[in-house]
Amino acid sequence: MDQFTLNLLVVGATFALYIGIAIWARAGSTSEFYAAGRGVHPVTNGMATAADWMSAASFISMAGLIAFTGYDNSSFLMGWTGGYVLLALLLAPYLRKFGKFTVPEFIGDRFYSSTARMVAVICLIVASVTYVIGQMTGVGVAFSRFLEVDVSTGLFIGAAVVFCYAVLGGMKGVTYTQVAQYCVLITAYTIPAVFISLQLTGNPIPGLGLFGEHTASGEPLLAKLDQVVQDLGFNSYTGHHADTFNMLLFTISLMIGTAGLPHVIMRFFTVPKVADARWSAGWTLVFIALLYLTAPAVGAMARLNLIDTVYPNGPQAEALMYEERPDWMKNWEVTGLLKFEDKNGDGQIQWYNDKSEGFAATATANGWQGSELSVNRDILVLANPEIAQLPGWVIAVVAAGGLAAALSTAAGLLLAISSAVSHDLFKGQLTPNMSEKAELLTARISMAVAIGVATYLGLNPPGFAAQTVALAFGLAAASIFPALMMGIFSKRVNNTGAVAGMLTGLIVTLVYIFLHKGWFFIPGTNSFSDADPLLGTIKSTSFGAIGAALNFTVAIVVSRATEEPPQEIQDLVESVRIPKGAGAAVDH
């Protein structure tokens, strides 16, 4: 059976499973559409949350960014995992105890203001739409390769699939679909990693193989990788070369952005009680760890395999002839995500760092006139089993896993958007007397519109999948996270302060991003770039931490300058923070 047919069978089978689950778990009420009837078991919810959280950025893009940069991109790992711990400890149980459907509903009630609720809706939509762009980018990459079409066609196909099962099922359908998707994506991520680790190090555990010895050379794997990348003019893989201050801000931005993402927070509204929210968080960490402990090894081994493909006899010897390139390169060239340009006309594939001044003399002596291979970072994980020449069924499973990762998060984000529009905007403000049937219809229409917008913007994304997602995390960090934290842990912050803080954080961060990525992400409209940022070394992906600091500062200053919240709101905050049945402290 040829690879294309095998891909269709495996991917088609998983899609049939997802859509079947959506039909079986079709939401019949607003409670089921928004919170799955609040009857999801903590283990089930933990698995669904892990799938919701581990998006195309985690599955497809993160290891690729680590592979091409090394240690400096480990901030993706630190920020996202650290952020989930923050979410689990500081937000999830308290929000579940509050007992609302959506994040804007919590903010509106806590800050006793319809204006605060509307501002939260705007913040949620801006962050979620930006996030969905990254997911649709990943969907397009995956579909383009495994259906052998260009990336734009792949994006349209993926959008149609998301429409079918997300619009139909709501949170109830999405929850059980995400459980299936987690099983698919973790299997797809782990199997090739185990095979490749065995090939390169003889160790079946990728995380341990990363620090083991390279089987062929007998030297430590990371030491060999350091050597070969430096032989091609790149920075050492394990060294720290980025700006430390920007890296710190980026990690903080990812952490607090994770804790402010509405589509993840919504998952904790689906369990029966507060204790279940805590258990859900714990189980989610377990399920997330299975992928995140493997990702650094996947990135390092993929980079080494890619270099070995281009330079089969080592970087000091002649490069691969283009006419002799392997089938996987030919397959990815169809998508436009891998390109070759024979700049010196010798028919060989020269791939090196042509931006390195220190390597320029070596390149000139070799007769090289520029790096000739362009590899999109987002393809590396999907191409990894092909590069390592693994069996066809492994390649097909990875295809299904990549799509599961992108589609699961896209569905969660779209649900968060539709809930904000239908429940908070229309039901909460514009038409409070609308029927439950009308509310469900409004939710599904708004989800369909969001899919259309994200698909359009996904045709020209502002970066690789993980980089686009990082922008969304920055927006959530600057706008939503501070409001949630102050709403739970500060009785003094009032509605005026919360609104002023959210607007300040959102507007300043959004403007900074647009200045670097283009207004409304339109290519060519930017005034700065992340290579030459507006403020010192602070890149657009790192600015969320600055926006959050401004949000906190403005909210506290404005609140201190205005009236205290009503006593009943202060009592509400106190009740949310204290476990049910806890008695007062006794003086012994």
Side-chain angles (χ1 to χ4, degrees):
M1 183 183 298
D2 66 275
Q3 188 64 54
F4 180 75
T5 304
L6 191 57
N7 292 339
L8 284 180
L9 287 175
V10 174
V11 172
T14 58
F15 281 4
L17 174 64
Y18 304 152
I19 294 173
I21 291 173
I23 294 172
W24 166 73
R26 180 181 173 87
S29 67
T30 52
S31 177
E32 290 181 342
F33 191 89
Y34 296 135
R38 301 197 194 279
V40 181
H41 190 277
V43 177
T44 304
N45 194 53
M47 195 175 292
T49 306
D52 202 355
W53 189 71
M54 290 191 296
S55 62
S58 293
F59 187 100
I60 295 175
S61 193
M62 181 178 65
L65 289 173
I66 293 173
F68 280 86
T69 303
Y71 170 80
D72 288 332
N73 269 349
S74 63
S75 48
F76 282 100
L77 293 168
M78 295 184 289
W80 282 336
T81 51
Y84 191 78
V85 174
L86 196 66
L87 170 64
L89 294 178
L90 297 182
L91 292 180
Y94 305 109
L95 292 174
R96 176 61 189 89
K97 186 175 182 182
F98 201 85
K100 297 299 180 181
F101 279 138
T102 67
V103 169
E105 192 172 16
F106 165 80
I107 290 176
D109 287 4
R110 160 58 185 89
F111 294 109
Y112 53 98
S113 167
S114 59
T115 302
R117 185 171 181 175
M118 288 304 96
V119 172
V121 169
I122 294 169
C123 295
L124 183 152
I125 291 174
V126 171
S128 297
V129 168
T130 305
Y131 203 147
V132 175
I133 296 170
Q135 302 317 300
M136 300 311 286
T137 301
V139 169
V141 171
F143 269 114
S144 66
R145 164 62 189 93
F146 297 107
L147 294 180
E148 298 182 8
V149 295
D150 67 82
V151 69
S152 298
T153 303
L155 180 60
F156 291 132
I157 295 171
V161 173
V162 173
F163 180 87
C164 286
Y165 77 83
V167 173
L168 182 67
M171 179 62 86
K172 185 178 179 182
V174 166
T175 294
Y176 294 105
T177 301
Q178 285 174 337
V179 170
Q181 287 168 329
Y182 176 80
C183 296
V184 172
L185 76 86
I186 200 65
T187 301
Y189 205 84
T190 305
I191 288 176
V194 169
F195 273 116
I196 294 169
S197 182
L198 279 170
Q199 280 183 353
L200 293 178
T201 69
N203 193 320
I205 303 175
L208 297 179
L210 178 64
F211 299 98
E213 291 187 349
H214 186 249
T215 305
S217 65
E219 59 184 314
L221 179 76
L222 287 173
K224 178 174 176 58
L225 183 54
D226 268 341
Q227 185 60 54
V228 296
V229 295
Q230 290 179 93
D231 285 345
L232 295 171
F234 297 102
N235 290 325
S236 62
Y237 193 83
T238 57
H240 175 44
H241 309 284
D243 178 76
T244 303
F245 179 61
N246 181 76
M247 189 174 179
L248 174 64
L249 288 180
F250 182 60
T251 304
I252 293 172
S253 182
L254 292 182
M255 283 184 64
I256 61 178
T258 298
L261 286 173
H263 75 290
V264 175
I265 294 171
M266 283 179 66
R267 292 239 48 93
F268 296 102
F269 300 152
T270 66
V271 293
K273 53 186 184 292
V274 175
D276 292 335
R278 295 182 186 274
W279 278 107
S280 289
W283 279 110
T284 302
L285 281 171
V286 171
F287 293 128
I288 288 171
L290 294 178
L291 188 146
Y292 269 65
L293 291 175
T294 306
V298 170
M301 293 175 187
R303 179 75 176 276
L304 188 58
N305 275 335
L306 183 57
I307 292 173
D308 286 343
T309 300
V310 178
Y311 297 96
N313 298 312
Q316 307 300 335
E318 288 191 347
L320 180 73
M321 295 296 295
Y322 179 69
E323 294 301 324
E324 297 174 3
R325 68 195 187 284
D327 288 339
W328 74 265
M329 280 190 168
K330 298 175 184 176
N331 294 334
W332 280 102
E333 282 179 314
V334 173
T335 68
L337 298 171
L338 185 145
K339 299 175 183 177
F340 169 72
E341 181 186 357
D342 193 2
K343 295 180 179 179
N344 64 351
D346 66 354
Q348 295 180 340
I349 304 174
Q350 276 93 37
W351 181 44
Y352 65 99
N353 183 11
D354 54 9
K355 304 291 191 299
S356 171
E357 294 180 3
F359 194 73
T362 302
T364 301
N366 290 338
W368 299 348
Q369 297 178 13
S371 187
E372 299 173 343
L373 188 66
S374 172
V375 184
N376 186 296
R377 287 7 176 207
D378 288 344
I379 76 170
L380 205 59
V381 170
L382 298 176
N384 209 12
E386 296 178 272
I387 298 171
Q389 299 179 346
L390 298 183
W393 66 269
V394 177
I395 296 170
V397 168
V398 170
L403 292 168
L407 295 174
S408 61
T409 304
L413 288 162
L414 292 165
L415 188 62
I417 293 170
S418 67
S419 300
V421 172
S422 61
H423 189 68
D424 295 300
L425 181 59
F426 282 90
K427 179 73 172 178
Q429 298 297 319
L430 301 180
T431 54
N433 296 321
M434 71 189 307
S435 66
E436 186 170 288
K437 183 178 180 180
E439 187 179 353
L440 277 175
L441 178 61
T442 304
R444 288 178 168 131
I445 292 173
S446 60
M447 188 181 287
V449 172
I451 292 172
V453 172
T455 301
Y456 173 75
L457 293 174
L459 293 171
N460 289 292
F464 301 116
Q467 292 172 329
T468 305
V469 166
L471 297 175
F473 276 73
L475 291 167
S479 59
I480 299 173
F481 173 77
L484 294 176
M485 287 293 292
M486 291 184 289
I488 293 170
F489 294 102
S490 173
K491 292 187 287 185
R492 183 61 183 85
V493 177
N494 60 21
N495 54 0
T496 309
V499 170
M502 283 190 290
L503 287 175
T504 299
L506 176 67
I507 293 170
V508 172
T509 304
L510 196 59
V511 168
Y512 197 83
I513 288 173
F514 284 162
L515 284 172
H516 291 75
K517 297 295 184 181
W519 291 92
F520 303 101
F521 301 131
I522 298 172
T525 60
N526 58 302
S527 303
F528 304 90
S529 70
D530 283 334
D532 184 22
L534 170 61
L535 297 178
T537 59
I538 303 174
K539 297 181 180 181
S540 59
T541 49
S542 308
F543 195 79
I546 304 295
L550 291 172
N551 187 331
F552 276 116
T553 302
V554 169
I556 292 171
V557 170
V558 171
S559 295
R560 294 291 179 184
T562 49
E563 293 183 0
E564 287 188 358
Q567 188 59 46
E568 62 268 22
I569 297 298
Q570 297 185 43
D571 294 341
L572 176 65
V573 174
E574 191 74 23
S575 69
V576 167
R577 290 208 308 262
I578 297 177
K580 185 177 181 180
V586 178
D587 184 5
H588 294 289

